[in-house]
Amino acid sequence: AYLASVGGELRIDGVGIERVRGFTLLEQVGGALVIRASPALALLDGFDNLVQVDGDLVIADNPALFGENAFARLDRVGGTLTLTDLPALGTVQGVVRPSELGGLWIERVGVPGVLFPALETVGDVRMIELAATTSVSMPALQTLSGAFEVRGVGLTTLGAPGTVDGLSLIHI
């Protein structure tokens, strides 16, 4: 037997671990998946077969986190994908794979570029105080059903396809 599904929330919060590994056979989280407030956490790995999070996916307040390679098959986040207060984060690989996000909030994260290669549908998009981020690209984006806000970002490149349905506000 193995853990394939969590019906509610899965929370890793305020622990002294340096690396999250395992959860490699988990396929679905029925509520939120929260990984936050772990000051020693340096690498987020595992969750290799996670396809869907029905609630929010939050990775926040982990000042030592420098790499994320955790969500190789993630396709859908029903709530908001939140990446906040991750100043050392230099690489984001798995968490950018979904084709559908309920929303996207990235604030005070150290990544130089953000590429969401398969993202087709998203609610609100907020990218705030990303001084190190020079490029953001969402080449497959078809539907934006909320606001699009980019503020305090060192962007030189912002890429999206020519036609996006549902755009209600652009603030850059």
Side-chain angles (χ1 to χ4, degrees):
Y2 62 88
L3 182 63
S5 177
V6 172
E9 183 174 282
L10 175 57
R11 181 175 284 273
I12 301 169
D13 194 345
V15 295
I17 58 176
E18 293 180 4
R19 186 174 185 176
V20 173
R21 295 188 335 192
F23 299 102
T24 56
L25 300 176
L26 183 64
E27 297 171 359
Q28 179 184 14
V29 175
L33 172 56
V34 178
I35 303 166
R36 65 172 294 277
S38 298
L41 181 62
L43 182 62
L44 184 55
D45 199 5
F47 298 101
D48 297 334
N49 286 304
L50 185 64
V51 175
Q52 181 170 320
V53 175
D54 292 338
D56 294 335
L57 172 53
V58 178
I59 304 170
D61 304 315
N62 299 304
L65 184 64
F66 69 84
E68 177 276 319
N69 187 23
F71 303 97
R73 294 188 57 218
L74 186 62
D75 184 59
R76 181 181 180 279
V77 176
T80 299
L81 168 60
T82 302
L83 304 172
T84 61
D85 296 307
L86 306 167
L89 190 62
T91 60
V92 179
Q93 294 179 11
V95 80
V96 296
R97 296 181 191 272
S99 63
E100 182 180 343
L101 297 173
L104 176 63
W105 177 19
I106 304 175
E107 184 171 2
R108 293 182 299 276
V109 176
V111 293
V114 179
L115 169 64
F116 287 88
L119 185 61
E120 296 175 356
T121 302
V122 66
D124 290 336
V125 174
R126 303 205 187 284
M127 291 179 255
I128 302 166
E129 295 180 37
L130 302 173
T133 305
T134 58
S135 69
V136 173
S137 184
M138 300 173 192
L141 188 63
Q142 296 172 17
T143 303
L144 175 65
S145 60
F148 187 92
E149 179 180 4
V150 178
R151 190 166 32 99
V153 178
L155 281 180
T156 56
T157 305
L158 178 61
T163 304
V164 177
D165 295 331
L167 191 61
S168 63
L169 166 74
I170 297 182
H171 176 113
I172 298 179

